[in-house]
Amino acid sequence: MRIFIKNGMIYDGGGGKPFQGGLLVENDRLAAVGGLDDTCRADQVIDAAGLAVTPGFIDTHRHGDLAALSDPDFGKIELAQGITTAFSGNCGLSAYPNADASRQEWLDFIEPCLGKTTGAANFARYADYMRALGQINLRINLGGLVGSGAVKTAVKGFAKTPFTPDEMARAQNLLADALASGAFGVSSGIMYVPDYYSTKEEWINLLKPLSGSGGLLTCHVRGEGDSLVDSVAEAAEISRLAGVPLNISHFKSVGVRNWNRALYQAVGLIEKAGADITVDAYPYTGGATTLMTLLPPCVVREKIADTVDDLSTAAGVERVRRALAQEQPGWDNMIASIGWERIIISSVNLDEDKGYVGKNIAEITGSETTADPVQWLCDLVCRERGKVGIILMSMAQEDVDAVLRLPYSMVISDSLYGNMDSPHPRLYGSFAKIIRDYVQERHILPLETAVYKMSGLTARRFGIKDRGRLIPGYFADINIFDPAKFRDQATFTHPRQLSAGLDTVLVNGRPAYRRGVFTEPAPGSILIRN
């Protein structure tokens, strides 16, 4: 099939100035870009006069591992904002690999981020997950990272103890197997258990299969508030000593006292670190995570059931209260840094708790019979067994803007697919928000730079072959839109709103979305690093 896109303003994904011209698509690839006229023979002609023509956007940070397998509409939220390629397996929290002894506990732990499993999730190897994905008619292209937290839990559960030599060998083998099976790299979540317990020396040893493989290490650093600079230094040193390139995930500075200060110290450290480092960011001042991250690590037991048992006692609640009142080295106390009023409940499982969704904890506890937020927090953790999503209004707009201006920063969404009562709007709108807010309204980025950060730069950094650029021979993942009309509609109060104004999306040379209509058959594919 030949598709001719004529008269468009072409932003080729390389960051250079746009140019007027046409594109010819043959089957799944771009056959020609530029000097084409109306005599070009094609089965379908799309007139893009007055419209921008860009590569499809690439989101390498979506927690859609399980949603891709279970939700028949997966890909619609993505396509409406121009995303043609996405990655799973971020923050160390991949759904794979997992092991019989700890599988259910791991799936329960990641549920607020990835959502519930609706079928078998017995993924002993990365290849098992990709095989399951191959049975799905995908609307978009999907690749993946292998999560270090998943690997560690598969080998030794949530134990706080160091790897034994045998456990380390098994963990390295799981990473090596995933990389050999096409994973694009390793994701780590040093903020989360069980990754939190690993020492620098363990990280360097664990990452040996990644060194020299061509894959990338992505890292949710240990802390993004008071400990941001130290946490970036830790990740940079691991990267340098392990000999692996590093991408710092959702790079930001949280906590009111850190605004307009800590971020710039961290940037200076990155640029002097002597390591191969990039960053990515989402375009919002609020983040999202799980309720369990509010608990100091010293009160979190190796099993969620044990943590629940402890917090259900008066003594356990008191331990939490004391720990929150004390400084915990290497851990950011978000309650102290932003306050209960900036912590919003976004998802729960139990009907009795549904009324809390969309409200902040100060508001909730102020109307309860007890105004003790620590007691309420512990009670909710126990009732919901930790399966609660939260939104943290924790960042300064000036800091977010500064990150997105960095020449080595990329755009992501960090979308969570847990219980979607009140999801973070980034799930529905991140990439369209970049165009509307950062390009059109506030002029933080020129359009060609924004497109580069959402396509060409990302493809190059993550090793996604023949995508992210409008170049002859590349796969024909293409967006067509009017920059003045393409916009996000999702907000924190009304988040479940598809982005609007996108004219056309091609995935692998086939129409996937056209003026609000999703086309069939689904044209996505599985991506393997090679």
Side-chain angles (χ1 to χ4, degrees), residues 446-465:
L447 183 55
E448 60 267 26
T449 301
V451 169
Y452 172 60
K453 288 175 176 288
M454 297 190 289
S455 58
L457 176 58
T458 308
R460 188 178 77 229
R461 182 58 169 164
F462 280 80
I464 308 171
K465 188 178 179 182

Side-chain angles (χ1 to χ4, degrees), residues 191 224-227 252-259 282 285-291 293-294 324 331-345 359-363 373 390-396 399 424 492:
M191 175 185 178
E224 297 171 327
D226 295 348
S227 63
K252 57 183 177 286
S253 176
V254 304
V256 176
R257 63 190 173 202
N258 299 310
W259 290 354
Y282 48 82
T285 56
T289 185
T290 73
L291 190 70
T293 63
L294 299 183
L324 288 172
W331 177 75
D332 283 331
N333 185 337
M334 293 306 299
I335 295 165
S337 62
I338 65 173
W340 297 104
E341 69 276 6
R342 289 178 174 269
I343 302 171
I344 301 167
I345 304 300
K359 297 179 180 179
N360 68 65
I361 295 179
E363 176 186 8
I390 57 174
I391 290 173
L392 306 171
M393 303 304 298
S394 58
M395 289 167 269
D399 286 352
H424 193 297
F492 284 102

Side-chain angles (χ1 to χ4, degrees), residues 39 42 46 51 58 74 78 92 98 113 222 238 255 266 286 312 320 339-340 377 406 460 469 509 527:
T39 63
I46 298 173
L51 304 179
I58 300 172
F74 179 84
E78 292 76 13
N98 54 54
C113 291
R222 191 176 298 277
I238 290 170
S312 65
V320 173
W340 297 104
L377 168 66
L406 293 172
R460 188 178 77 229
R469 297 289 305 277
L527 303 186

